[in-house]
Amino acid sequence: ALALAPLAAFSTPARVDFISEPASYPNPFDSRTGRATLRWRLAEDAPAELSGYTVFGTRVWRRSFPAGAAGARAGLNEVPWDGSDDAGRKLGKGMYLAALRAGGDLIVIKVGVRH
C-alpha cells in the first residue's frame, strides 16, 4: 500500500495578518463637533505609520508611531482624528482614506467627514 503524507506537509501555513480589525467610528463624523477614532490590532509591537489621503490620492496628514508606543503596540490601538490636515486646517466634507503601514502590511480605512 502506498502511504500518503498528511496534506499539511504540502500546504503553506495560513498567513496571519500583522494588522487586523481596522475600523473607524463614528463613521461618518462631524468634524465641527467631534472626532473619529481609528482603531486596529497589531500582532506585535512594530513601528507604524498612519497617513490620511483624499480620494484623489493627495496626502493631507501623517503620523508616525515608534514600536511599543500608542498606535504601534501589540493588540488594540486607537488614534483620534479631528478632520484636520497636518497644518491644523479643517478639511472639507467627503471621503478620506487612512492608510496604515506596519510589519510589512498595509491596510486602508475609509473615513467619512460631514458638516
Side-chain angles (χ1 to χ4, degrees):
L2 178 63
L4 297 176
L7 182 59
F10 297 104
S11 61
T12 341
R15 180 174 187 268
V16 175
D17 290 332
F18 194 85
I19 305 170
S20 62
E21 301 177 37
S24 174
Y25 65 90
N27 199 4
F29 77 102
D30 188 334
S31 64
R32 297 170 302 177
T33 59
R35 59 183 54 198
T37 298
L38 303 169
R39 69 186 304 179
W40 58 86
R41 286 192 181 278
L42 295 182
E44 60 187 65
D45 289 358
E49 182 175 286
L50 181 65
S51 298
Y53 295 88
T54 67
V55 294
F56 300 107
T58 303
R59 189 176 70 213
V60 291
W61 56 269
R62 178 175 48 185
R63 295 187 187 143
S64 295
F65 310 101
R73 291 185 185 133
L76 181 64
N77 292 273
E78 293 187 334
V79 174
W81 179 51
D82 67 357
S84 297
D85 65 10
D86 276 337
R89 298 177 298 244
K90 290 289 185 181
L91 296 168
K93 65 182 176 180
M95 181 64 65
Y96 292 86
L97 305 172
L100 176 69
R101 291 180 187 274
D105 273 2
L106 168 68
I107 55 109
V108 176
I109 304 169
K110 296 177 190 173
V111 185
V113 175
R114 64 180 178 163
H115 298 246

